[in-house]
Amino acid sequence: MPRRVAVFAMTWKELRDFLERENEKMRPGETARIESLHQATEPATERRARRLAGEYPARTAINQACLHFAEHGHWPSMDPEATLYAHDRWIWAMWFSGWLDEMSPLQEEHSREEWLEWLLVESWHELGSWRWRTSQESS
């Protein structure tokens, strides 16, 4: 039997507000601890190079974690590096949904799950990862 997903209209602002609320739950814990550990032990150029080199091989696992969150509303267990990459995507989703809100109101009706899947996986692969890599290389 196909899974039923409630479909409701969300504005980009409502979606961004949701992402910001969830970010408050996600950020203070593991990601902040891991980032501060790396900042204390690695020069910035080495840290950026390591993160750039590690993102692509981790994509399948990060995609699965993002899809799990979209469907279940909580993150699966992830190793520390995967947690950082998932958080990078989350930051992308917050920024991109804010930008989309400025450009145009949301017209299509999709479930929050579908919007999260699109923001955290599809838009990341199409545009977010390029923007992330560019920012890493230039900082």
Side-chain angles (χ1 to χ4, degrees), residues 52-93:
L52 284 167
E55 192 270 338
Y56 189 78
R59 278 191 174 185
T60 300
I62 304 309
N63 288 344
Q64 291 170 347
C66 290
L67 294 172
H68 179 91
F69 180 88
E71 183 176 347
H72 301 288
H74 64 86
W75 292 98
S77 295
M78 292 184 278
D79 67 54
E81 293 298 318
T83 302
L84 283 174
Y85 291 124
H87 190 256
D88 290 331
R89 289 186 188 202
W90 198 264
I91 297 299
W92 158 254

Side-chain angles (χ1 to χ4, degrees), residues 3 17 21 45 49 51 54 69 72 84 90 106 117 119 121:
R3 181 172 53 108
D17 289 347
R21 283 192 308 275
T45 54
R51 291 202 65 218
F69 180 88
H72 301 288
L84 283 174
W90 198 264
L106 190 60
E117 288 175 3
L119 279 168
V121 178

Side-chain angles (χ1 to χ4, degrees), residues 54-136:
E55 192 270 338
Y56 189 78
R59 278 191 174 185
T60 300
I62 304 309
N63 288 344
Q64 291 170 347
C66 290
L67 294 172
H68 179 91
F69 180 88
E71 183 176 347
H72 301 288
H74 64 86
W75 292 98
S77 295
M78 292 184 278
D79 67 54
E81 293 298 318
T83 302
L84 283 174
Y85 291 124
H87 190 256
D88 290 331
R89 289 186 188 202
W90 198 264
I91 297 299
W92 158 254
M94 287 191 314
W95 178 85
F96 194 44
S97 61
W99 182 82
L100 288 167
D101 181 46
E102 290 177 17
M103 296 289 117
S104 168
L106 190 60
Q107 298 296 319
E108 296 180 49
E109 291 188 3
H110 293 285
S111 68
R112 181 167 54 204
E113 176 184 340
E114 290 169 322
W115 284 125
L116 288 172
E117 288 175 3
W118 180 75
L119 279 168
L120 296 171
V121 178
E122 294 173 41
S123 77
W124 175 261
H125 290 287
E126 295 297 322
L127 185 58
S129 62
W130 172 83
R131 189 173 187 275
W132 176 80
R133 285 185 173 283
T134 304
S135 70
Q136 292 290 313

